[in-house]
Amino acid sequence: MKRSVRVFVALAAGLGAFASLIPPSPAAADVDPVPLTILSYRTAVARAAPSVVTVHSGRTVSGRLPFTPRVLVKGIASGVIVERDGYIVTNHHAVQGTSDLVVALADGSAYPTRVVGEDPDSDIALLKIDAEGLRPIAVADINDVAVGDVVLAMGNPLGIGHTVTQGIISAIVRKGATPIENFIQTDAAINPGNSGGALIDTAGRLVGINALILSHSGGSEGIGFAIPVDLVQTVVAILKTKGRVSRAWLGLWTGPPRQGQGARVVAVEREGPADRAGIEPGDVIVRFGERQVQRPQDVTSVVIGGEPGEQMAIDLVRNGNPATVEVQLAPLPTQQATP
């Protein structure tokens, strides 16, 4: 017992000697504050969240066996408030063939909803609710969007509630073909229920409407697609006034000009409306009908908003010289991929 006491005392003495080598801790007042930087997107989320809604729907389907009763299948998707007076954009596939649409706002309040118009080709549908105090989402300029930008996907995946996922813009797929091919690709997680939700930048501005994923499992595998905001704006404006989008055809591909504004003609479909009007590759379109053309997307917007058979003037620059041609928009040919 005495030996144990002596060992303990020796250890204590040894520890005391070692402690004397450790400098005393400074008082809290003497410690310089450590700069703390928190990388967060909370401001962007807070700015956009009130504009992102949940879309509840019902779809009546036949039973799998003969003479079995029809059943109501409930669905859930997301949507985005685009105008203060109750206009909401979502995906066409999310509301196609549905009934009893109800939109639930971020604060939990719910409103019966009607479909203003649908455009299957762009997978966009425009809804309307009667509510006050709505906050429309801020909109980004698509020309400022680039591969590598950080983006956030907002919506209600799998019905679990408002959720935010983060990624980057992986690609901007702009083929100049049908509008549905003009996707923004992202690796931000997008799952069932995210359809129609918002893809926003780090300032909380709408970049696109989440639409679909490529997946072997049915869940997010890092390849998601959103409809770019400029196409969304064009289709929404048409659906609001006409309720539908008439698919006209011009028959050319455009890209950015080498300098200045406009849309440079990259290729012309043989025997198409543009070809018959005398438009050639290398021409730079500066005006299309009543619209000043500042970028290639402006040409697509005019075609989408036009009616087949409509006659329109196109002002262009060819080899530095101004020229004007008359073009007649044609109906979109079956299986035709050119605007």
Side-chain angles (χ1 to χ4, degrees):
M1 183 69 177
K2 291 182 179 179
R3 182 182 178 186
S4 298
V5 171
R6 285 197 298 270
V7 170
F8 177 78
V9 171
L11 287 173
L15 288 175
F18 179 74
S20 65
L21 300 176
I22 303 175
S25 299
D30 298 332
V31 178
D32 293 331
V34 178
L36 184 61
T37 301
I38 299 176
L39 179 61
S40 175
Y41 306 113
R42 67 183 72 177
T43 302
V45 172
R47 186 173 296 157
S51 306
V52 181
V53 304
T54 299
V55 181
H56 298 275
S57 63
R59 179 183 288 109
T60 303
V61 299
S62 300
R64 295 184 177 182
L65 299 176
F67 309 110
T68 55
R70 294 170 64 84
V71 296
L72 180 66
V73 178
K74 295 183 178 181
I76 193 168
S78 303
V80 181
I81 300 171
V82 291
E83 294 189 20
R84 192 175 304 277
D85 51 355
Y87 286 97
I88 294 169
V89 67
T90 188
N91 287 144
H92 162 73
H93 76 258
V95 298
Q96 182 182 16
T98 60
S99 59
D100 303 321
L101 286 173
V102 174
V103 161
L105 304 182
D107 63 5
S109 57
Y111 297 87
T113 309
R114 64 182 177 89
V115 178
V116 176
E118 301 176 67
D119 180 39
D121 287 338
S122 63
D123 197 23
I124 293 173
L126 184 63
L127 312 179
K128 180 72 166 64
I129 63 174
D130 294 323
E132 297 180 352
L134 299 178
R135 186 191 300 181
I137 197 164
V139 176
D141 184 343
I142 197 66
N143 292 309
D144 294 334
V145 176
V147 174
D149 288 354
V150 174
V151 286
L152 309 171
M154 302 183 67
N156 191 343
L158 304 175
I160 63 174
H162 276 220
T163 301
V164 182
T165 56
Q166 179 251 326
I168 64 169
I169 292 179
S170 308
I172 298 178
V173 187
R174 290 191 176 277
K175 298 180 181 179
T178 55
I180 197 63
E181 291 182 316
N182 288 336
F183 281 120
I184 295 172
Q185 181 183 333
T186 179
D187 65 346
I190 298 174
N191 288 286
N194 273 122
S195 292
L199 187 71
I200 66 171
D201 61 17
T202 55
R205 302 173 302 180
L206 184 68
V207 170
I209 295 294
N210 299 321
L212 55 91
I213 60 175
L214 290 182
S215 172
H216 294 293
S217 64
S220 175
E221 295 182 10
I223 305 178
F225 297 93
I227 306 165
V229 66
D230 58 329
L231 177 59
V232 173
Q233 289 176 301
T234 297
V235 173
V236 164
I238 298 169
L239 291 178
K240 186 177 177 181
T241 57
K242 299 181 179 179
R244 63 181 181 85
V245 177
S246 299
R247 289 291 161 194
W249 179 49
L250 180 58
L252 54 72
W253 286 266
T254 61
R258 291 184 173 87
Q259 59 181 5
Q261 296 181 334
R264 181 172 57 88
V265 178
V266 177
V268 178
E269 183 79 11
R270 187 173 181 179
E271 296 300 323
D275 185 39
R276 290 193 292 267
I279 297 175
E280 301 175 358
D283 292 345
V284 177
I285 299 173
V286 295
R287 191 174 189 84
F288 193 173
E290 299 298 322
R291 183 162 183 163
Q292 193 77 22
V293 175
Q294 298 179 330
R295 53 190 180 174
Q297 294 92 325
D298 292 335
V299 174
T300 303
S301 296
V302 175
V303 175
I304 292 174
E307 293 281 349
E310 186 176 357
Q311 194 87 12
M312 305 183 76
I314 293 181
D315 294 340
L316 53 85
V317 177
R318 177 179 297 168
N319 298 323
N321 300 313
T324 300
V325 299
E326 291 288 329
V327 64
Q328 185 177 32
L329 299 179
L332 184 68
T334 304
Q335 302 300 321
Q336 177 62 49
T338 309

